[in-house]
């Protein structure tokens, strides 16, 4: 599984637990630099914005970095250190 698909899979797992009437769908994560990522997604239901956080911990239980609250559906964000695997968590 490629790095981008792995992060997308991890983000999808945690987005499913979000509010039932609001979902993040069609997730895509592309690494565009050493610690830079482009996230694209769709918001459904009552969703008008999303909270994006990141962690090197795949469970999202430790060292969670709050990155952004936005209504945009395509964002470029900086997270982690070069060479560090990051996991993104999106919550409507």
């Amino acid at each position: 599984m490629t790095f981008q698909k792995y992060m997308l899979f991890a983000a999808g797992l945690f987005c499913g637990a979000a509010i039932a009437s609001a979902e993040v769908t069609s997730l895509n994560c592309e690494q565009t630099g050493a610690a830079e990522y482009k996230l694209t997604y769709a918001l459904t239901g009552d969703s008008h914005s999303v909270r994006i956080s990141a962690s090197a911990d795949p469970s999202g239980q430790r060292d969670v970095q709050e990155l952004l609250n936005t209504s945009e559906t395509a964002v470029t964000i900086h997270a982690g250190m070069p060479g560090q695997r990051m996991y993104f968590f999106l919550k409507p």
Side-chain angles (χ1 to χ4, degrees):
M1 186 178 293
T2 68
F3 179 65
Q4 288 82 10
K5 287 182 181 177
Y6 189 79
M7 288 189 314
L8 180 61
F9 175 74
L13 288 176
F14 293 100
C15 289
I19 301 169
S21 63
E23 294 183 7
V24 176
T25 63
S26 304
L27 297 167
N28 187 42
C29 177
E30 178 182 351
Q31 187 170 11
T32 56
E36 180 181 87
Y37 305 88
K38 181 176 181 182
L39 302 175
T40 58
Y41 45 87
L43 299 171
T44 65
D46 296 334
S47 301
H48 300 291
S49 65
V50 65
R51 183 176 66 211
I52 303 171
S53 57
S55 176
D57 173 23
S59 72
Q61 300 298 310
R62 295 181 292 118
D63 302 320
V64 176
Q65 179 184 13
E66 297 293 328
L67 299 174
L68 185 64
N69 285 310
T70 184
S71 60
E72 299 294 322
T73 57
V75 296
T76 298
I77 56 177
H78 294 86
M81 302 295 292
Q84 181 181 35
R85 177 169 287 183
M86 296 303 296
Y87 299 88
F88 297 95
F89 304 90
L90 287 76
K91 183 173 183 179

